[in-house]
Amino acid sequence: MKQLGNFIDGRFWPAAGGSFLDNIEPATGSVLARVPDSGTEDVEQAVAAAGRAFPEWSARSVAERATLLETLAAFIATRADDLAALESADTGKPLKLAREVDMERARANLKFFAGAMSHWASAGHDMGPAGFNYTRREPLGVVALITPWNLPLYLLTWKLAPALVTGNTVVAKPSELTPMTAHALCELAIEAGIPPGVFNLVHGTGPGCGQALVDHPSIRAVSFTGGTATGKTIARSVAERLIKLSLELGGKNPALVFADADMDKTIPGLVRAGFTNQGQVCLCSSRILVHDSTHDEIAAKLTDAVKAMKLGDPKEPDTDQGALISSAHRDKVTGYIEQARSDGGRILCGGEVIQPRGRCRDGYFILPTVIADLPAESRLHHEEIFGPVVTLQRFVDEDEAVHLANSVDYGLAATVWTENLSRAHRVAARIQAGIVWVNNWLVRDLRTPFGGMKDSGLGREGGHWSLEFFTEPKNIFIDGR
Ligand code: NAD
């Protein structure tokens, strides 16, 4: 049984209290590893190590820091198969998804921010004979990175790369449900030559370990991705200290399907947007809004395409749908399906827990589910389910489509499916979401702003937004006389 350690000052340590959490493999229900159940003392040591490393790390040149990130990116590329196997076992996601999306993106995150920082210029404001202003961007100090279980290495590297390349030192806390690739990244950091104390990582629960990190008085910024309720708790915790806070939270993302949509693009797009990673992506389109005239055709074609997906062992190369993250999460999702039945919804496909034969018979699987005819006020149209469940809703015109799209507390992402260019621009501008994709889903350019409106978050990540978050601007005026 693999036993993981906290990564502090370049070395692995057990939790100070000596206790461990079981890390369960979702596809089998068996214990994969034991994870330190850390608390205040472990956090204290990690923050102290990061504080000691800060002066030397922040004084290094951008080129030196960028080169170390590029080395780490190269290690992820060469170990991608092993890392993908770890990620797949830890999350229940299909191995091919872990390999093609998660590992590729983890590599790209490190490489991208190494390059972005190398091209980043600071501003100058010329006042003519009176003088000149220039703006330095200074690292903040020790920053906390807290990440969820759905895209473990992808999201950890998305925060780690800009934090480190701008000269901060880091204490990260991955989800207690998915610690495996975070641990592997620490091993690679040693090999890559990242100096001790620059990158530290503590494992443990949210209330026990994450909260201690957020509350530590030496933490200068918190970058958090996770649920909206947790994000609000963290915001309250740091409010007194007025430190920088970035929140990437939940979503209830609409897909707006107009009558002129190209079915050949739209149906596979909706399947991908609804069910990638068993619907456990914050950006998943879980509410499909369809023009009344094409509702039944879309419902039939979508149902056929969803039924054609293969659910099973994440290790199998042809598996499309793996396991949900935990038994508790499976029960939460099935609770929503029960709610749909009692709300009078029509289950067009799925709607059941399933136990595949063999190795995965005790895993946490739900058949991908499409539900129609729910009343507008149903909880399924408003609350984030975060599982393989999509709902269909009808609209009669553009105004109603936009109204339905905006009728939830969230505002992370949306997709618009239409062949009418004017409509695409018009509708995209009216949707309350940080990201709108027209005729596609989850196409990412790492230079663009990423984040949500309303209950989906605060601030943006990506490109210079991340570099700005992890630095403090300081203006310096030089008298011209
Ligand atoms: P979560 O909020 O339960 O946990 C996220 C992380 O926060 C974990 O590491 C957890 O241990 C930690 N945590 C929990 N309580 C804490 C506290 N009081 N103080 C500090 N840390 C604490 O979320 P989850 O269930 O792991 O992830 C699923 C959620 O994440 C979904 O709502 C999903 O939409 C969201 N998400 C958002 C994005 C985005 O970019 N907007 C991306 C991925 C996931």
Side-chain angles (χ1 to χ4, degrees), residues 147-149 173 176 210-211 224-227 230 248-250 282 384:
T147 45
W149 48 260
K173 197 209 84 68
E176 59 276 32
Q211 189 68 49
F224 171 78
T225 298
T230 315
E248 297 291 343
L249 309 177
C282 54
E384 185 184 46

Side-chain angles (χ1 to χ4, degrees), residues 220-250:
R220 300 310 312 149
V222 177
S223 176
F224 171 78
T225 298
T228 296
T230 315
K232 288 181 179 177
T233 302
I234 291 175
R236 280 190 290 270
S237 304
V238 303
E240 270 301 313
R241 308 204 319 274
L242 293 179
I243 61 173
K244 281 187 147 186
L245 178 64
S246 165
L247 297 175
E248 297 291 343
L249 309 177

